Structures are given as structure tokens and as C-alpha cells.
PDB file of all heavy atoms in Angstrom:
ATOM      1  N   PRO O 202       6.350 -15.531  -5.528  1.00 88.00           N
ATOM      2  CA  PRO O 202       5.157 -15.026  -4.854  1.00 88.00           C
ATOM      3  C   PRO O 202       5.209 -13.510  -4.640  1.00 88.00           C
ATOM      4  O   PRO O 202       6.335 -12.982  -4.242  1.00 88.00           O
ATOM      5  CB  PRO O 202       5.153 -15.735  -3.505  1.00 88.00           C
ATOM      6  CG  PRO O 202       6.015 -16.904  -3.717  1.00 88.00           C
ATOM      7  CD  PRO O 202       7.015 -16.549  -4.674  1.00 88.00           C
ATOM      8  N   PRO O 203       4.188 -12.775  -4.947  1.00 90.00           N
ATOM      9  CA  PRO O 203       4.205 -11.330  -4.773  1.00 90.00           C
ATOM     10  C   PRO O 203       4.263 -10.898  -3.319  1.00 90.00           C
ATOM     11  O   PRO O 203       3.759 -11.677  -2.455  1.00 90.00           O
ATOM     12  CB  PRO O 203       2.967 -10.859  -5.479  1.00 90.00           C
ATOM     13  CG  PRO O 203       2.054 -11.963  -5.354  1.00 90.00           C
ATOM     14  CD  PRO O 203       2.880 -13.197  -5.476  1.00 90.00           C
ATOM     15  N   ILE O 204       4.815  -9.722  -3.004  1.00 88.00           N
ATOM     16  CA  ILE O 204       4.802  -9.213  -1.685  1.00 88.00           C
ATOM     17  C   ILE O 204       3.477  -8.611  -1.342  1.00 88.00           C
ATOM     18  O   ILE O 204       3.035  -7.683  -2.095  1.00 88.00           O
ATOM     19  CB  ILE O 204       5.914  -8.209  -1.511  1.00 88.00           C
ATOM     20  CG1 ILE O 204       7.303  -8.852  -1.733  1.00 88.00           C
ATOM     21  CG2 ILE O 204       5.920  -7.498  -0.125  1.00 88.00           C
ATOM     22  CD1 ILE O 204       8.500  -7.951  -1.773  1.00 88.00           C
ATOM     23  N   LYS O 205       2.827  -9.031  -0.354  1.00 88.00           N
ATOM     24  CA  LYS O 205       1.516  -8.453   0.069  1.00 88.00           C
ATOM     25  C   LYS O 205       1.719  -7.641   1.308  1.00 88.00           C
ATOM     26  O   LYS O 205       2.003  -8.166   2.386  1.00 88.00           O
ATOM     27  CB  LYS O 205       0.490  -9.562   0.311  1.00 88.00           C
ATOM     28  CG  LYS O 205       0.145 -10.403  -0.978  1.00 88.00           C
ATOM     29  CD  LYS O 205      -0.506  -9.431  -2.026  1.00 88.00           C
ATOM     30  CE  LYS O 205      -0.900 -10.232  -3.311  1.00 88.00           C
ATOM     31  NZ  LYS O 205      -1.434  -9.411  -4.322  1.00 88.00           N
ATOM     32  N   MET O 206       1.584  -6.354   1.234  1.00 86.00           N
ATOM     33  CA  MET O 206       1.823  -5.432   2.361  1.00 86.00           C
ATOM     34  C   MET O 206       0.521  -5.169   3.113  1.00 86.00           C
ATOM     35  O   MET O 206      -0.555  -5.119   2.527  1.00 86.00           O
ATOM     36  CB  MET O 206       2.429  -4.124   1.836  1.00 86.00           C
ATOM     37  CG  MET O 206       3.714  -4.134   1.166  1.00 86.00           C
ATOM     38  SD  MET O 206       4.294  -2.474   0.874  1.00 86.00           S
ATOM     39  CE  MET O 206       5.859  -2.828  -0.011  1.00 86.00           C
ATOM     40  N   ASP O 207       0.635  -5.015   4.449  1.00 85.00           N
ATOM     41  CA  ASP O 207      -0.469  -4.477   5.194  1.00 85.00           C
ATOM     42  C   ASP O 207      -0.409  -2.945   5.106  1.00 85.00           C
ATOM     43  O   ASP O 207       0.556  -2.364   4.519  1.00 85.00           O
ATOM     44  CB  ASP O 207      -0.483  -4.989   6.613  1.00 85.00           C
ATOM     45  CG  ASP O 207       0.768  -4.598   7.350  1.00 85.00           C
ATOM     46  OD1 ASP O 207       1.619  -3.821   6.910  1.00 85.00           O
ATOM     47  OD2 ASP O 207       1.008  -5.161   8.510  1.00 85.00           O
ATOM     48  N   LEU O 208      -1.377  -2.296   5.697  1.00 87.00           N
ATOM     49  CA  LEU O 208      -1.465  -0.837   5.581  1.00 87.00           C
ATOM     50  C   LEU O 208      -0.292  -0.135   6.177  1.00 87.00           C
ATOM     51  O   LEU O 208       0.249   0.844   5.627  1.00 87.00           O
ATOM     52  CB  LEU O 208      -2.789  -0.355   6.179  1.00 87.00           C
ATOM     53  CG  LEU O 208      -3.223   1.065   5.918  1.00 87.00           C
ATOM     54  CD1 LEU O 208      -3.108   1.408   4.424  1.00 87.00           C
ATOM     55  CD2 LEU O 208      -4.600   1.292   6.431  1.00 87.00           C
ATOM     56  N   GLU O 209       0.165  -0.638   7.437  1.00 85.00           N
ATOM     57  CA  GLU O 209       1.288   0.100   8.010  1.00 85.00           C
ATOM     58  C   GLU O 209       2.568   0.024   7.145  1.00 85.00           C
ATOM     59  O   GLU O 209       3.302   1.012   7.035  1.00 85.00           O
ATOM     60  CB  GLU O 209       1.572  -0.535   9.387  1.00 85.00           C
ATOM     61  CG  GLU O 209       0.459  -0.250  10.417  1.00 85.00           C
ATOM     62  CD  GLU O 209       0.753  -0.995  11.731  1.00 85.00           C
ATOM     63  OE1 GLU O 209       1.760  -0.689  12.333  1.00 85.00           O
ATOM     64  OE2 GLU O 209      -0.019  -1.845  12.085  1.00 85.00           O
ATOM     65  N   ARG O 210       2.830  -1.192   6.644  1.00 86.00           N
ATOM     66  CA  ARG O 210       4.009  -1.348   5.857  1.00 86.00           C
ATOM     67  C   ARG O 210       3.919  -0.531   4.590  1.00 86.00           C
ATOM     68  O   ARG O 210       5.026   0.017   4.084  1.00 86.00           O
ATOM     69  CB  ARG O 210       4.294  -2.841   5.537  1.00 86.00           C
ATOM     70  CG  ARG O 210       5.605  -3.154   4.918  1.00 86.00           C
ATOM     71  CD  ARG O 210       5.823  -4.584   4.702  1.00 86.00           C
ATOM     72  NE  ARG O 210       7.078  -4.890   3.933  1.00 86.00           N
ATOM     73  CZ  ARG O 210       7.379  -6.054   3.487  1.00 86.00           C
ATOM     74  NH1 ARG O 210       6.602  -7.109   3.691  1.00 86.00           N
ATOM     75  NH2 ARG O 210       8.521  -6.211   2.854  1.00 86.00           N
ATOM     76  N   ALA O 211       2.766  -0.490   4.002  1.00 89.00           N
ATOM     77  CA  ALA O 211       2.554   0.297   2.757  1.00 89.00           C
ATOM     78  C   ALA O 211       2.860   1.800   3.012  1.00 89.00           C
ATOM     79  O   ALA O 211       3.446   2.443   2.187  1.00 89.00           O
ATOM     80  CB  ALA O 211       1.183   0.092   2.204  1.00 89.00           C
ATOM     81  N   LEU O 212       2.374   2.280   4.176  1.00 88.00           N
ATOM     82  CA  LEU O 212       2.636   3.726   4.507  1.00 88.00           C
ATOM     83  C   LEU O 212       4.126   3.970   4.683  1.00 88.00           C
ATOM     84  O   LEU O 212       4.619   5.087   4.390  1.00 88.00           O
ATOM     85  CB  LEU O 212       1.863   4.117   5.682  1.00 88.00           C
ATOM     86  CG  LEU O 212       0.309   4.193   5.579  1.00 88.00           C
ATOM     87  CD1 LEU O 212      -0.343   4.377   6.941  1.00 88.00           C
ATOM     88  CD2 LEU O 212      -0.060   5.349   4.635  1.00 88.00           C
ATOM     89  N   GLU O 213       4.851   2.964   5.285  1.00 85.00           N
ATOM     90  CA  GLU O 213       6.295   3.138   5.445  1.00 85.00           C
ATOM     91  C   GLU O 213       7.008   3.103   4.093  1.00 85.00           C
ATOM     92  O   GLU O 213       8.052   3.713   3.952  1.00 85.00           O
ATOM     93  CB  GLU O 213       6.812   2.106   6.334  1.00 85.00           C
ATOM     94  CG  GLU O 213       6.443   2.243   7.835  1.00 85.00           C
ATOM     95  CD  GLU O 213       7.095   1.319   8.729  1.00 85.00           C
ATOM     96  OE1 GLU O 213       7.658   0.317   8.191  1.00 85.00           O
ATOM     97  OE2 GLU O 213       7.189   1.534   9.916  1.00 85.00           O
ATOM     98  N   PHE O 214       6.441   2.368   3.166  1.00 87.00           N
ATOM     99  CA  PHE O 214       7.181   2.155   1.838  1.00 87.00           C
ATOM    100  C   PHE O 214       7.056   3.331   0.905  1.00 87.00           C
ATOM    101  O   PHE O 214       8.014   3.708   0.279  1.00 87.00           O
ATOM    102  CB  PHE O 214       6.574   0.917   1.159  1.00 87.00           C
ATOM    103  CG  PHE O 214       7.166   0.617  -0.187  1.00 87.00           C
ATOM    104  CD1 PHE O 214       8.363  -0.040  -0.322  1.00 87.00           C
ATOM    105  CD2 PHE O 214       6.549   1.107  -1.327  1.00 87.00           C
ATOM    106  CE1 PHE O 214       8.920  -0.266  -1.574  1.00 87.00           C
ATOM    107  CE2 PHE O 214       7.012   0.889  -2.605  1.00 87.00           C
ATOM    108  CZ  PHE O 214       8.256   0.230  -2.730  1.00 87.00           C
ATOM    109  N   ILE O 215       5.963   3.927   0.880  1.00 87.00           N
ATOM    110  CA  ILE O 215       5.689   5.010  -0.180  1.00 87.00           C
ATOM    111  C   ILE O 215       6.587   6.176   0.069  1.00 87.00           C
ATOM    112  O   ILE O 215       7.011   6.514   1.150  1.00 87.00           O
ATOM    113  CB  ILE O 215       4.239   5.395  -0.266  1.00 87.00           C
ATOM    114  CG1 ILE O 215       3.769   6.023   1.115  1.00 87.00           C
ATOM    115  CG2 ILE O 215       3.378   4.248  -0.656  1.00 87.00           C
ATOM    116  CD1 ILE O 215       2.418   6.596   1.078  1.00 87.00           C
ATOM    117  N   GLY O 216       6.874   6.903  -1.099  1.00 86.00           N
ATOM    118  CA  GLY O 216       7.693   8.142  -1.005  1.00 86.00           C
ATOM    119  C   GLY O 216       6.828   9.334  -1.052  1.00 86.00           C
ATOM    120  O   GLY O 216       5.537   9.287  -1.073  1.00 86.00           O
ATOM    121  N   PRO O 217       7.424  10.529  -1.017  1.00 86.00           N
ATOM    122  CA  PRO O 217       6.640  11.817  -0.948  1.00 86.00           C
ATOM    123  C   PRO O 217       5.673  11.988  -2.156  1.00 86.00           C
ATOM    124  O   PRO O 217       4.747  12.732  -2.040  1.00 86.00           O
ATOM    125  CB  PRO O 217       7.743  12.851  -0.938  1.00 86.00           C
ATOM    126  CG  PRO O 217       8.920  12.180  -0.431  1.00 86.00           C
ATOM    127  CD  PRO O 217       8.882  10.833  -0.976  1.00 86.00           C
ATOM    128  N   ASP O 218       6.038  11.343  -3.345  1.00 88.00           N
ATOM    129  CA  ASP O 218       5.263  11.559  -4.534  1.00 88.00           C
ATOM    130  C   ASP O 218       4.329  10.394  -4.754  1.00 88.00           C
ATOM    131  O   ASP O 218       3.845  10.159  -5.940  1.00 88.00           O
ATOM    132  CB  ASP O 218       6.085  11.811  -5.699  1.00 88.00           C
ATOM    133  CG  ASP O 218       7.029  10.611  -6.043  1.00 88.00           C
ATOM    134  OD1 ASP O 218       7.288   9.837  -5.092  1.00 88.00           O
ATOM    135  OD2 ASP O 218       7.458  10.416  -7.157  1.00 88.00           O
ATOM    136  N   GLU O 219       3.985   9.664  -3.786  1.00 90.00           N
ATOM    137  CA  GLU O 219       3.148   8.433  -3.916  1.00 90.00           C
ATOM    138  C   GLU O 219       1.985   8.350  -2.962  1.00 90.00           C
ATOM    139  O   GLU O 219       2.049   9.086  -1.872  1.00 90.00           O
ATOM    140  CB  GLU O 219       4.039   7.152  -3.743  1.00 90.00           C
ATOM    141  CG  GLU O 219       5.151   7.046  -4.793  1.00 90.00           C
ATOM    142  CD  GLU O 219       6.235   6.058  -4.457  1.00 90.00           C
ATOM    143  OE1 GLU O 219       6.168   5.502  -3.395  1.00 90.00           O
ATOM    144  OE2 GLU O 219       7.103   5.842  -5.338  1.00 90.00           O
ATOM    145  N   TYR O 220       1.018   7.556  -3.166  1.00 92.00           N
ATOM    146  CA  TYR O 220      -0.192   7.375  -2.398  1.00 92.00           C
ATOM    147  C   TYR O 220      -0.382   5.918  -2.103  1.00 92.00           C
ATOM    148  O   TYR O 220       0.064   5.067  -2.883  1.00 92.00           O
ATOM    149  CB  TYR O 220      -1.460   7.922  -3.061  1.00 92.00           C
ATOM    150  CG  TYR O 220      -1.642   9.405  -3.015  1.00 92.00           C
ATOM    151  CD1 TYR O 220      -2.139  10.079  -4.196  1.00 92.00           C
ATOM    152  CD2 TYR O 220      -1.449  10.134  -1.845  1.00 92.00           C
ATOM    153  CE1 TYR O 220      -2.338  11.430  -4.096  1.00 92.00           C
ATOM    154  CE2 TYR O 220      -1.684  11.545  -1.800  1.00 92.00           C
ATOM    155  CZ  TYR O 220      -2.162  12.213  -2.985  1.00 92.00           C
ATOM    156  OH  TYR O 220      -2.335  13.497  -2.953  1.00 92.00           O
ATOM    157  N   VAL O 221      -1.102   5.615  -1.027  1.00 92.00           N
ATOM    158  CA  VAL O 221      -1.702   4.332  -0.750  1.00 92.00           C
ATOM    159  C   VAL O 221      -3.151   4.379  -0.968  1.00 92.00           C
ATOM    160  O   VAL O 221      -3.874   5.178  -0.380  1.00 92.00           O
ATOM    161  CB  VAL O 221      -1.408   3.765   0.687  1.00 92.00           C
ATOM    162  CG1 VAL O 221      -2.066   2.450   0.839  1.00 92.00           C
ATOM    163  CG2 VAL O 221       0.012   3.681   0.890  1.00 92.00           C
ATOM    164  N   GLU O 222      -3.662   3.594  -1.944  1.00 93.00           N
ATOM    165  CA  GLU O 222      -5.127   3.638  -2.224  1.00 93.00           C
ATOM    166  C   GLU O 222      -5.747   2.486  -1.414  1.00 93.00           C
ATOM    167  O   GLU O 222      -5.335   1.358  -1.406  1.00 93.00           O
ATOM    168  CB  GLU O 222      -5.360   3.351  -3.748  1.00 93.00           C
ATOM    169  CG  GLU O 222      -6.847   3.253  -4.101  1.00 93.00           C
ATOM    170  CD  GLU O 222      -7.045   2.834  -5.558  1.00 93.00           C
ATOM    171  OE1 GLU O 222      -6.007   2.694  -6.334  1.00 93.00           O
ATOM    172  OE2 GLU O 222      -8.151   2.509  -5.915  1.00 93.00           O
ATOM    173  N   VAL O 223      -6.733   2.895  -0.569  1.00 92.00           N
ATOM    174  CA  VAL O 223      -7.401   2.039   0.361  1.00 92.00           C
ATOM    175  C   VAL O 223      -8.882   1.806  -0.015  1.00 92.00           C
ATOM    176  O   VAL O 223      -9.615   2.803  -0.070  1.00 92.00           O
ATOM    177  CB  VAL O 223      -7.285   2.570   1.828  1.00 92.00           C
ATOM    178  CG1 VAL O 223      -7.941   1.627   2.816  1.00 92.00           C
ATOM    179  CG2 VAL O 223      -5.833   2.839   2.201  1.00 92.00           C
ATOM    180  N   THR O 224      -9.251   0.582  -0.292  1.00 92.00           N
ATOM    181  CA  THR O 224     -10.578   0.276  -0.587  1.00 92.00           C
ATOM    182  C   THR O 224     -11.033  -0.983   0.281  1.00 92.00           C
ATOM    183  O   THR O 224     -10.120  -1.601   0.856  1.00 92.00           O
ATOM    184  CB  THR O 224     -10.812  -0.063  -2.116  1.00 92.00           C
ATOM    185  OG1 THR O 224     -10.074  -1.265  -2.379  1.00 92.00           O
ATOM    186  CG2 THR O 224     -10.321   1.022  -2.941  1.00 92.00           C
ATOM    187  N   PRO O 225     -12.344  -1.296   0.379  1.00 91.00           N
ATOM    188  CA  PRO O 225     -12.725  -2.403   1.254  1.00 91.00           C
ATOM    189  C   PRO O 225     -12.027  -3.718   1.039  1.00 91.00           C
ATOM    190  O   PRO O 225     -11.800  -4.500   2.022  1.00 91.00           O
ATOM    191  CB  PRO O 225     -14.231  -2.495   1.041  1.00 91.00           C
ATOM    192  CG  PRO O 225     -14.636  -1.114   0.707  1.00 91.00           C
ATOM    193  CD  PRO O 225     -13.455  -0.557  -0.077  1.00 91.00           C
ATOM    194  N   ARG O 226     -11.638  -3.995  -0.194  1.00 90.00           N
ATOM    195  CA  ARG O 226     -11.042  -5.351  -0.444  1.00 90.00           C
ATOM    196  C   ARG O 226      -9.597  -5.197  -1.003  1.00 90.00           C
ATOM    197  O   ARG O 226      -8.995  -6.254  -1.247  1.00 90.00           O
ATOM    198  CB  ARG O 226     -11.924  -6.096  -1.468  1.00 90.00           C
ATOM    199  CG  ARG O 226     -13.271  -6.467  -0.917  1.00 90.00           C
ATOM    200  CD  ARG O 226     -13.975  -7.539  -1.806  1.00 90.00           C
ATOM    201  NE  ARG O 226     -14.170  -7.109  -3.141  1.00 90.00           N
ATOM    202  CZ  ARG O 226     -15.207  -6.491  -3.593  1.00 90.00           C
ATOM    203  NH1 ARG O 226     -16.187  -6.163  -2.731  1.00 90.00           N
ATOM    204  NH2 ARG O 226     -15.375  -6.111  -4.884  1.00 90.00           N
ATOM    205  N   SER O 227      -9.064  -4.009  -1.223  1.00 89.00           N
ATOM    206  CA  SER O 227      -7.801  -3.918  -1.885  1.00 89.00           C
ATOM    207  C   SER O 227      -6.943  -2.852  -1.270  1.00 89.00           C
ATOM    208  O   SER O 227      -7.424  -1.869  -0.700  1.00 89.00           O
ATOM    209  CB  SER O 227      -7.983  -3.550  -3.400  1.00 89.00           C
ATOM    210  OG  SER O 227      -8.824  -4.544  -3.984  1.00 89.00           O
ATOM    211  N   LEU O 228      -5.589  -3.022  -1.352  1.00 91.00           N
ATOM    212  CA  LEU O 228      -4.624  -1.977  -1.066  1.00 91.00           C
ATOM    213  C   LEU O 228      -3.738  -1.864  -2.266  1.00 91.00           C
ATOM    214  O   LEU O 228      -3.143  -2.833  -2.698  1.00 91.00           O
ATOM    215  CB  LEU O 228      -3.791  -2.366   0.188  1.00 91.00           C
ATOM    216  CG  LEU O 228      -4.380  -2.236   1.499  1.00 91.00           C
ATOM    217  CD1 LEU O 228      -3.373  -2.675   2.582  1.00 91.00           C
ATOM    218  CD2 LEU O 228      -4.754  -0.744   1.837  1.00 91.00           C
ATOM    219  N   ARG O 229      -3.631  -0.676  -2.804  1.00 92.00           N
ATOM    220  CA  ARG O 229      -2.784  -0.447  -3.971  1.00 92.00           C
ATOM    221  C   ARG O 229      -1.884   0.728  -3.759  1.00 92.00           C
ATOM    222  O   ARG O 229      -2.238   1.635  -3.100  1.00 92.00           O
ATOM    223  CB  ARG O 229      -3.690  -0.135  -5.233  1.00 92.00           C
ATOM    224  CG  ARG O 229      -4.689  -1.248  -5.551  1.00 92.00           C
ATOM    225  CD  ARG O 229      -5.462  -0.883  -6.857  1.00 92.00           C
ATOM    226  NE  ARG O 229      -6.545  -1.808  -7.120  1.00 92.00           N
ATOM    227  CZ  ARG O 229      -7.815  -1.680  -6.776  1.00 92.00           C
ATOM    228  NH1 ARG O 229      -8.147  -0.516  -6.108  1.00 92.00           N
ATOM    229  NH2 ARG O 229      -8.735  -2.580  -7.002  1.00 92.00           N
ATOM    230  N   LEU O 230      -0.699   0.634  -4.279  1.00 92.00           N
ATOM    231  CA  LEU O 230       0.234   1.762  -4.312  1.00 92.00           C
ATOM    232  C   LEU O 230       0.268   2.451  -5.658  1.00 92.00           C
ATOM    233  O   LEU O 230       0.180   1.737  -6.689  1.00 92.00           O
ATOM    234  CB  LEU O 230       1.663   1.255  -3.995  1.00 92.00           C
ATOM    235  CG  LEU O 230       1.833   0.380  -2.720  1.00 92.00           C
ATOM    236  CD1 LEU O 230       3.280   0.060  -2.455  1.00 92.00           C
ATOM    237  CD2 LEU O 230       1.232   1.041  -1.495  1.00 92.00           C
TER     238      LEU O 230
END
């Protein structure tokens, strides 16, 4: 099963050269 992150965990995961893409139905790194 894939790991599904919430927004807080995604912000903690990304590095200095990465973004979190936030849309109404999706969260992408």
C-alpha cells in the first residue's frame, strides 16, 4: 500500500529543492 501523507507530514518530508503541490483533491511532491 502506498504511503499517503497529510499536508503537515509532506512539509516535514520535502527537502530544500522540493515543493508540495496542493490542489483541492490532491497532494503531490
Side-chain angles (χ1 to χ4, degrees):
I204 298 173
K205 296 298 182 182
M206 296 187 182
D207 60 11
L208 191 50
E209 290 177 63
R210 188 176 176 189
L212 290 173
E213 289 188 341
F214 176 83
I215 60 173
D218 62 337
E219 297 165 355
Y220 281 139
V221 178
E222 179 187 351
V223 181
T224 65
R226 295 194 300 270
S227 306
L228 284 178
R229 303 183 186 94
L230 308 184

